[in-house]
Amino acid sequence: MEAEAAVDPRADRIEQLRRRMDAIPARSAGPPRVGRVDPLPVGEQPASAGIRTLPVAGPLADLLVHRGLVRGTVAQIAGPASLRASLLASVTGSGHWAAVVGDPTLGLLAAVEMGADLNRCALIPDPGDDPIAVAAVLVDGIDLIVVRVGGRDTPPSRVRAVTARARRAGAVLAVDGRWPNVDVRLQAQVAGYHGLTGGPGRITGLDLDVEALTRGHLPRRARITVAGCGRHVQWASATTDPVSSADPVPVPELRVAQ
């Protein structure tokens, strides 16, 4: 009798998420659609005719074919946490909704300094052993879902089901980890640091080598500087030579997620 009365904790967690989503205002924009879109919601970036995108930092936009993350697509994200924090900042800072699933180490302070609005972000640091099930629920009401799956393999049938659900809902699923048949891959690696001159010092920024590969297009690459500016962190095209990342690096005071 006790076994029959036991509650599945995963089902309970998903039900709680559904109730929280019911309290969120309608998604800021619907799925991709053909035809003229006028006007665009605040923060929405124009792309090719009939395509709606979620905004990204300027230097990242230059690498993407449609200058943003196209709604209803799946993106694979690899590299420093700064990349995920930047997506979170651009989307929530422009009035959209985002969720982070299974990524308890993501630097939220760094995301805030990049412009994130955590009031528009659902955080699920511990989704249990099935983060994809949680992400599948969130795509119905959230604009951007960042889910960390690591090295686990997701069955192709589930990949197709969740991908189709994201396309219907007009959400962007950003996966950190293995995921086949993605629409765009964003990969970054630290190329060096700024602010370290003549021995120990303070890190004032870091350079990232970023590559964006959109399905059907040649890869685009750029070196981007993530640097502190007062209480803010900005993304800009690299203009100066950084200190090699192979050099000894003291504990940074700049809160840039690496």
Side-chain angles (χ1 to χ4, degrees), residues 16-94:
Q16 291 178 15
L17 286 172
R18 286 198 175 101
R19 288 198 296 267
R20 289 178 60 186
M21 288 168 56
D22 288 341
I24 295 176
R27 176 182 277 127
S28 46
R33 56 192 183 189
V34 178
R36 182 178 178 182
V37 179
D38 186 22
L40 289 174
V42 175
E44 198 93 348
Q45 293 190 10
S48 301
I51 295 178
R52 280 183 168 175
T53 63
L54 293 177
V56 298
L60 290 178
D62 294 337
L63 299 178
L64 296 173
V65 172
H66 300 292
R67 297 193 56 79
L69 297 174
V70 177
R71 288 181 174 277
T73 63
V74 178
Q76 188 176 47
I77 312 297
S82 293
L83 191 56
R84 301 192 300 279
S86 172
L87 298 181
L88 192 67
S90 296
V91 169
T92 62
S94 59

